[in-house]
Amino acid sequence: MASGSWHFVLAEAFDHAALERLRSVGEVTLLDHPDEPSLKDAVRDCDALLVRTYTKVTRAVLEGAARLRVIGRGGVGLENIDLDAARERGVAVVYTPAAATDAVAELTIGLMLTLLRQIIAGDAAVRQGGFQKARRTTCTRELSQLTLGVIGLGRIGKAVARRCRDGFGMRVLYNDIVAPGWIDFAATPVEKHDLYKASDVVSLHVPLTDQTRYLINAASLVEFKPHAVLINTSRGAVVDSEALAHALSSRVIAGAALDVFDPEPLPPDHVLMNAPNTVFSPHVGARTEGGLARMNDVVEDVIRVLEGETPHFPADGS
Ligand code: NAD
């Protein structure tokens, strides 16, 4: 099919420039509610499907998509796409692996400092007449005195570890199922159990897979130091939220800062909502100007696939 007659279905928001780029080479359909029935309907006669975090591209969706040649995921995690089903049907999957690295690393460190320096409680004290008491009683820890344990030393894990080691003087431990090769900062590989036992801050940077689902659970949390805090900017389901809420309430660990949740969004009556020493952000790790702009770049790889060129960022890494 010639350029100009392609049909793109966008199941989530992409910016104006990305939309214009797609419109310059084809027709664009925007979906309001990308649930399975409407997605199945929409992809029936499209050449490319573009998604972000929440659209679930299941085997059932792909089965009816006879013309589909490429799925573009603006972002990093690929757990919302059935990659096996796509491969079997010869549908290419492209994404933007490095788009969010710096943005998520910065939020991770922001959450770490907010939690450890009790910034939210301090803000409330200033506003609610508790300035003097808070000033008298507050005494927190400096990062240079603490050990960071990074689980998943990939792009984001490395960016966090490098900043924490070289910027803040933290000791860094890490665990990964793949050896990271040469790294340009000091860090020690350890088993997960040793990381839990030795870290003051445990930061999660793994993808959500069968192996990492509920990696942090009641059994792993009891191995943490009582003064340790958990930071999760990876995926909500890497942590068993109920076990975490229980560990916080019973002082098994000292605090948690979360950008991602399971379920997401967290319902108002979820037990984590009332757990002590928590800092939450609404899954905004990647949402910086640069992060969002780089995620929109996925349109270029989608067009490359349709034009028969090799994409820069195929999901299978080929
Ligand atoms: P990456 O692929 O570069 O790194 C992931 C690392 O985790 C790899 O080194 C991998 O070997 C390791 N890993 C996988 N399974 C593991 C296991 N069982 N134990 C230990 N290590 C394991 O990915 P990245 O770019 O660093 O992103 C990491 C994750 O961050 C993404 O998969 C995504 O879920 C999440 N993310 C969140 C946001 C946000 O807005 N909060 C934005 C972007 C990415």
Side-chain angles (χ1 to χ4, degrees), residues 250-291:
S250 53
R251 305 288 193 261
V252 168
I253 69 166
L258 310 175
D259 184 48
V260 287
F261 302 88
D262 177 41
E264 188 170 299
L266 208 56
D269 60 350
H270 192 281
V271 64
L272 251 183
M273 286 290 193
N274 294 316
N277 300 321
T278 50
V279 173
F280 299 150
S281 54
H283 197 155
V284 289
R287 295 193 67 86
T288 59
E289 288 173 7

Side-chain angles (χ1 to χ4, degrees), residues 76-77 97 100 104 151-157 175-178 192 205-207 211-212 233-235 259-260 283 285-286:
V76 184
V104 180
I151 306 193
L153 198 75
R155 286 173 296 262
I156 298 171
N175 172 268
D176 201 301
I177 51 169
V178 177
K192 288 190 176 67
H205 301 290
V206 289
Q211 244 186 321
T212 62
T233 57
S234 64
R235 282 291 178 265
D259 184 48
V260 287
H283 197 155

Side-chain angles (χ1 to χ4, degrees), residues 127-210:
R127 294 172 198 279
Q128 293 161 15
F131 187 109
Q132 294 296 5
K133 182 173 177 228
R135 180 151 199 276
R136 235 181 7 256
T137 54
T138 301
C139 180
T140 60
R141 294 174 284 169
E142 292 167 17
L143 294 186
S144 61
Q145 305 305 306
L146 304 181
T147 295
L148 169 69
V150 172
I151 306 193
L153 198 75
R155 286 173 296 262
I156 298 171
K158 280 191 195 119
V160 169
R162 182 183 299 112
R163 286 159 170 78
C164 287
R165 172 66 217 152
D166 295 344
F168 293 102
M170 296 181 85
R171 174 180 169 237
V172 176
L173 307 176
Y174 70 90
N175 172 268
D176 201 301
I177 51 169
V178 177
W182 184 79
I183 45 176
D184 60 353
F185 52 88
T188 308
V190 291
E191 293 302 322
K192 288 190 176 67
H193 295 294
D194 296 324
L195 184 147
Y196 301 148
K197 286 183 190 135
S199 301
D200 302 294
V201 179
V202 174
S203 194
L204 306 177
H205 301 290
V206 289
L208 179 61
T209 64
D210 290 345

